[in-house]
């Protein structure tokens, strides 16, 4: 839905196709706001939290599940990869399905399916059953996530309320992963790893009741058809890319398997891009990401998520393997980061976004995030949580809180109603694929740096005489932390790159200024 206070610029972002009117179909209009919109926000936010935290809630529970089900070290990655493959690969399809059959209907189907898949995973009798359940969770998450964001876009189309609603949503999108680490630690330590899956059943059923009673939506696009070749090319390309990056962790970047799969993924995505220019009902109309501000926001989201997942990955290992934290204690250690994201999103970005251009928030936010990330490069085996980790994570979280709201809001504003689902899917795809790339890329950098360090330092120590177990442990721990800090340095550089791209590409003015321009140039306002 086009934001009346934020018009498309001349040559703009609207599709210019029939059905782009702001008032077509049933549902609340900009003149008649939904009286239950804040309760609707609670329902949408609950569903989004479930999807986001499920990417990490199983991480802390994985060692227990591995022992219980007899999963080998080589196969344990599939508990995570099965979810990310299905989720990241099918998001564009899920977004277009939401546009075609209706966002509310797709949202409810996604919730029910996610609950069923979670119950199946919690009751797993073997590793194959767990892998299947995680893949099914990813499939239904791919329906749920874009429909949730597009419902938010159409429920809060403009003004100050839009900024407040997106502030809440952005806080969840950024902080949900850290909340998942905490909740996973609590459930694993006090109940069982199975409850990391069972808990979704209760969350999803609560959201279904809320969706049935509170959410409103337009009907799906009548007469439209699903772009089957686009589905095959786009989803296949994304699955190949995500799979290739996930395999790079264990096989290495130069392995034939990784290079072949990544090459196939790139080829499929190039073919997908070409096909979208020919298809009558494209899966992803290229004007959506071709618009400068939206395209820049999607790139910034992907790069930011790479840095965020890098922080989660290495701090989790550092806290548990170096400082000896329990799963619950490690989860609690991430609370300040989540608090920083929530405060930055809801108390700063949400208040300032209606008044200032988006890049005035996202660029400083990314610079703060890069500074917080860089401060973590000074960690060593003697570092303490309060003195070394806490300041950096607070700064990182606050910066990300400033960043996520303007990125998500800019990426989804000014879109025709019929394309809101696939636009939301593009944002979610950037986040999911960015997380997968971040985990694989930075983990490979860390392990390579650690291996190089250990090769030289263990050999040097051995030349001086036999190593005691204590000396070997000290060198191994030091090398492990060295690998972490090298990878974190690259994460900080990636966040700086995101700041540069945001400053160059995201040039939309403030909503207040654009609203004034709209009054002076009514021809810029999209109409039927």
């Amino acid at each position: 839905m086009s934001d009346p206070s934020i018009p498309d610029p001349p040559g703009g972002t609207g599709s210019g196709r029939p059905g782009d009117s702001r008032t077509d179909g049933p549902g609340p209009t900009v003149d008649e706001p939904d009286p239950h919109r804040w309760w609707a926000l609670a329902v949408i936010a609950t569903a989004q939290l479930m999807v986001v935290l499920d990417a990490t809630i199983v991480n802390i529970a994985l060692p227990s599940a591995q022992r219980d089900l007899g999963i080998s070290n080589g196969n344990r990655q599939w508990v995570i990869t099965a979810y990310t493959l299905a989720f990241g690969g099918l998001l564009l399809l899920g977004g277009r399905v939401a546009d075609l059959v209706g966002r509310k209907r797709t949202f409810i189907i996604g919730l029910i399916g996610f609950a069923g898949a979670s119950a199946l995973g919690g009751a797993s009798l073997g590793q194959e059953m767990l892998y299947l359940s995680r893949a099914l969770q990813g499939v239904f998450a791919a329906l749920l996530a874009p429909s949730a964001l597009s419902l938010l876009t159409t429920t809060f189309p403009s003004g100050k309320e839009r900024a407040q609603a997106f502030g809440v949503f952005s806080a969840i999108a950024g902080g949900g992963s850290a909340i998942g680490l905490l909740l996973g630690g609590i459930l694993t330590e006090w109940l069982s790893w199975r409850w990391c899956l069972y808990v979704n059943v209760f969350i999803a059923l609560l959201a279904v009741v809320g969706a049935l009673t509170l959410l409103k939506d337009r009907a799906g696009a009548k007469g439209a058809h699903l772009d089957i070749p686009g589905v095959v090319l786009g989803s296949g390309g994304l699955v190949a890319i995500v799979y290739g990056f996930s395999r790079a962790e264990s096989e290495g970047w130069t392995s034939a398997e990784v290079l072949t799969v990544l090459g196939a993924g790139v080829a499929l995505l190039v073919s997908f891009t070409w096909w979208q220019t020919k298809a009558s009902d494209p899966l992803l109309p290229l004007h959506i990401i071709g618009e400068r501000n939206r395209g820049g926001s999607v790139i910034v989201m992907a790069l930011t998520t790479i840095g965020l997942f890098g922080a989660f990955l290495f701090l989790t290992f550092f806290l548990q393997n170096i400082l000896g934290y329990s799963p619950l204690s490690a989860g609690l250690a991430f609370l300040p980061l989540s608090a920083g994201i929530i405060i930055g999103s809801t108390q700063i970005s949400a208040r300032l976004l209606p008044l200032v251009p988006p890049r005035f928030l996202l660029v400083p936010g990314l610079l703060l995030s890069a500074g917080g990330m860089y401060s973590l490069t000074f960690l060593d085996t003697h570092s303490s949580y309060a003195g070394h980790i806490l300041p950096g994570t607070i700064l990182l979280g606050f910066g990300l809180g400033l960043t996520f709201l303007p990125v998500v809001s800019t990426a989804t504003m000014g879109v025709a109603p019929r394309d809101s689902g696939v636009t939301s899917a593009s944002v979610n795809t950037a986040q999911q694929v960015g997380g997968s790339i971040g985990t694989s890329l930075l983990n490979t950098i860390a392990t390579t740096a650690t291996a190089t360090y250990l090769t030289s330092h263990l050999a040097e120590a051995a030349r001086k005489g036999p190593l005691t177990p204590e000396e070997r442990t000290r060198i191994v721990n030091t090398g492990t932390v060295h690998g972490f800090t090298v990878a974190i340095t690259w994460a900080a550089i990636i966040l700086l790159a995101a700041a540069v791209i945001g400053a160059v590409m995201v040039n939309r003015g403030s909503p207040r200024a654009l609203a004034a321009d709209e009054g002076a140039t009514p021809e810029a306002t999209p109409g039927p």
Side-chain angles (χ1 to χ4, degrees), residues 223-511:
H225 301 284
L226 191 62
D227 174 18
I228 300 300
V231 170
V232 174
L233 294 172
S235 298
L238 287 173
V239 167
I241 292 293
V242 174
Y243 178 78
F245 274 100
S246 68
R247 293 296 291 166
E249 290 187 69
S250 57
E251 301 299 322
W253 291 99
T254 58
S255 75
E257 178 188 0
V258 170
L259 293 176
T260 300
V261 171
L262 289 177
V266 171
L268 286 170
L269 291 180
V270 170
S271 300
F272 169 77
T273 303
W274 170 82
W275 173 253
Q276 295 310 282
T277 66
K278 306 296 182 181
S280 57
D281 286 299
L283 180 66
L284 175 61
L286 295 183
H287 69 81
I288 290 177
I289 58 173
E291 194 273 323
R292 174 176 181 161
N293 289 277
R294 190 171 297 114
S297 296
V298 169
I299 295 172
V300 168
M301 173 61 82
L303 293 177
T304 303
T305 311
I306 290 176
L308 176 60
F309 271 63
F312 284 147
L313 177 67
F314 300 119
L315 286 180
T316 298
F317 281 122
F318 184 84
L319 291 169
Q320 294 192 58
N321 294 349
I322 303 300
L323 297 187
Y325 279 34
S326 68
L328 176 58
S329 298
L332 288 170
F334 282 100
L335 280 182
L337 189 149
S338 296
I341 292 175
I342 292 170
I343 293 172
S345 293
T346 62
Q347 301 304 311
I348 307 298
S349 280
R351 296 175 187 271
L352 294 181
L353 185 59
L355 307 176
V356 301
R359 64 179 169 184
F360 283 18
L361 291 170
L362 70 89
V363 172
L366 287 167
L367 293 176
L368 287 174
S369 299
M373 188 75 76
Y374 180 70
S375 72
L376 297 175
T377 64
F378 295 98
L379 293 175
D380 58 37
T381 56
H382 302 292
S383 296
S384 65
Y385 175 78
H388 300 89
I389 298 176
L390 181 60
T393 54
I394 290 176
L395 190 60
L396 175 64
F398 185 73
L400 292 173
L402 293 179
T403 302
F404 280 123
L405 171 54
V407 167
V408 175
S409 182
T410 302
T412 55
M413 67 174 54
V415 180
R418 63 174 288 167
D419 290 331
S420 65
V422 74
T423 303
S424 302
S426 300
V427 179
N428 279 287
T429 298
Q431 186 176 24
Q432 187 64 29
V433 173
S436 177
I437 291 173
T439 301
S440 304
L441 174 63
L442 296 177
N443 188 61
T444 301
I445 291 173
T447 54
T448 301
T450 295
T452 302
Y453 181 96
L454 293 181
T455 299
S456 62
H457 286 74
L458 286 175
E460 181 181 350
R463 285 195 294 268
K464 298 178 181 179
L467 286 174
T468 66
E470 292 77 13
E471 289 174 325
R472 176 174 290 274
T473 298
R474 178 184 60 79
I475 293 173
V476 169
N477 286 345
T478 302
T480 299
V481 175
H482 169 72
F484 291 169
T485 58
V486 171
I488 290 172
T489 301
W490 279 103
I493 292 172
I494 291 170
L495 289 173
L496 284 175
V500 172
I501 291 173
V504 172
M505 294 189 67
V506 182
N507 63 351
R508 187 187 291 273
S510 70

Side-chain angles (χ1 to χ4, degrees), residues 51-76:
V51 170
V52 173
L53 67 82
D54 224 69
T56 56
I57 191 173
V58 177
N59 287 27
I60 287 182
L62 186 54
S64 298
Q66 182 180 0
R67 289 191 299 269
D68 195 11
L69 299 180
I71 302 174
S72 68
N73 288 337
N75 288 334
R76 65 184 176 187

